[in-house]
């Protein structure tokens, strides 16, 4: 149950145990969880300690409460992305209080294919940097992003550890590239097998395919990015007037 002499605060222990129960499916989506009183009896702790654990889980988006009805298991956190500003994955996650991280799946210098050359506005077969990263938020896979950049604009880009940092920060700080605008298309699609496994999707679940062409302040195409986002976690919002 709880370890009273250990270094981990008791409310944190209760929080992790409830998190495990949610993760394992023992507590199902939208199921009412035991009341504060029941939990305080079960764990042999004060109701205040239980409340602390429940408050933390509510703030994490794992639980929600309905006045007079109780506390329930929340749907997994939805990441709402307003389509207004030209932001990076790192900025988007940090703004939400989520910890961004990446895993580089491939990174190489190669000749641009006909399609990529056309999109980057460079001659076919000119050198490009191509890099695919799995992007995670708080350790959970959220997107797969494949970027293509003309090597001429970013010589030596792969010497930077982009598995850790932000591409847009490197573009700005190392290459003095000021990104100015982007054009983006979004479509719903079915993931292929590799995407299901990389994004840890539970079975077939829709994804969003997003393509972005990013221009710098001199209107040069700096990046052609193809991303796949989890459809169950990502919500795009647009302001209309
Ligand atoms: C977004 C864009 C990508 C861009 C990436 C850079 O996710 N869709 O086109 O490459 O941000 O992110 P970061 O600077 O965190 O590497």
């Amino acid at each position: 149950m709880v370890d009273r002499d250990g270094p981990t605060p008791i409310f944190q222990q209760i929080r992790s145990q409830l998190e495990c129960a949610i993760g394992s499916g023992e507590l199902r989506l939208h199921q009412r969880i035991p009341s504060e009183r029941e939990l305080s009896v079960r764990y042999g702790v004060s109701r205040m300690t239980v409340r602390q654990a429940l408050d933390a889980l509510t703030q994490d988006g794992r639980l929600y409460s309905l006045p007079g009805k109780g506390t329930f298991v929340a749907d997994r956190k939805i990441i709402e992305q307003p389509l207004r500003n030209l932001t990076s994955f790192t900025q988007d996650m940090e703004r939400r209080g989520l910890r961004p991280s990446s895993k580089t799946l491939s990174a190489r210098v190669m000749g641009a294919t006909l399609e990529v050359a056309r999109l980057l506005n460079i001659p076919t077969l000119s050198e490009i940097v191509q890099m695919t990263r799995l992007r995670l938020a708080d350790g959970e896979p959220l997107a797969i992003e494949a970027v293509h950049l003309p090597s001429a604009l970013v010589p030596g880009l792969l010497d930077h550890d982009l598995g850790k940092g932000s591409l847009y920060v490197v573009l700005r700080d190392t290459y003095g590239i000021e990104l100015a605008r982007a054009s983006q298309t979004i479509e719903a699609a079915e993931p292929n097998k590799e995407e299901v496994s990389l994004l840890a999707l539970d079975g077939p679940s829709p994804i969003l395919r997003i393509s972005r062409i990013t221009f710098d302040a001199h209107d040069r195409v700096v990046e052609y990015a193809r991303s796949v986002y989890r459809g169950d976690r990502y919500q795009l919002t647009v302001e209309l007037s």
Side-chain angles (χ1 to χ4, degrees):
M1 294 256 89
V2 292
D3 172 8
R4 288 168 195 285
D5 306 316
T8 315
I10 294 177
F11 92 91
Q12 291 288 17
Q13 297 179 40
I14 298 177
R15 176 187 185 174
S16 338
Q17 290 185 24
L18 289 172
E19 231 161 20
C20 285
I22 296 172
S24 71
E26 188 190 318
L27 285 171
R28 292 181 318 275
L29 221 62
H30 305 297
Q31 181 182 336
R32 192 172 73 80
I33 67 158
S35 69
E36 252 173 51
R37 195 177 47 78
E38 287 167 309
L39 288 170
S40 73
V41 173
R42 181 189 298 182
Y43 290 109
V45 300
S46 73
R47 282 178 66 162
M48 231 186 40
T49 307
V50 170
R51 194 168 312 142
Q52 234 184 324
L54 299 187
D55 283 350
L57 287 165
T58 305
Q59 267 178 19
D60 282 352
R62 307 305 302 257
L63 296 177
Y64 65 96
S65 28
L66 294 177
K69 294 225 166 82
T71 304
F72 301 81
V73 177
D75 221 333
R76 300 183 75 197
K77 246 189 286 178
I78 296 288
I79 295 177
E80 197 191 316
Q81 170 75 53
L83 294 179
R84 216 178 359 236
N85 301 315
L86 176 48
T87 51
S88 72
F89 183 86
T90 304
Q91 286 174 312
D92 291 341
M93 296 309 127
E94 282 176 349
R95 212 181 32 226
R96 285 174 184 78
L98 301 173
R99 188 176 38 84
S101 63
S102 309
K103 204 176 133 198
T104 304
L105 303 173
S106 71
R108 59 195 159 160
V109 172
M110 59 186 277
T113 59
L114 200 68
E115 190 209 355
V116 171
R118 183 177 58 78
L119 293 165
L120 289 178
N121 206 11
I122 54 174
T124 311
L125 292 178
S126 9
E127 220 175 62
I128 60 159
V129 177
Q130 194 277 339
M131 176 175 61
T132 305
R133 290 178 294 170
L134 181 66
R135 319 274 345 232
L136 306 99
D138 278 353
E140 275 188 88
L142 187 63
I144 308 165
E145 283 194 320
V147 293
H148 311 74
L149 304 97
S151 287
L153 296 183
V154 289
L157 178 66
L158 294 184
D159 298 340
H160 296 265
D161 188 1
L162 291 166
K164 290 218 177 71
S166 155
L167 170 66
Y168 282 7
V169 167
V170 172
L171 291 181
R172 188 195 60 209
D173 293 354
T174 308
Y175 299 98
I177 293 176
E178 288 299 336
L179 297 176
R181 65 185 180 93
S183 126
Q184 191 158 291
T185 60
I186 301 152
E187 55 186 327
E190 256 181 56
N192 61 31
K193 277 211 189 97
E194 195 192 358
E195 290 162 346
V196 167
S197 127
L198 285 170
L199 293 174
L201 299 172
D202 347 294
S205 145
I207 49 158
L208 294 168
R209 286 196 197 283
I210 304 183
S211 306
R212 178 185 284 188
I213 296 184
T214 317
F215 299 82
D216 72 359
H218 308 288
D219 231 22
R220 295 178 301 187
V221 181
V222 173
E223 165 195 59
Y224 162 51
R226 265 197 314 244
S227 316
V228 177
Y229 277 81
R230 286 185 66 123
D232 58 343
R233 302 287 315 279
Y234 219 64
Q235 195 173 58
L236 304 161
T237 61
V238 193
E239 291 279 331
L240 304 173
S241 61

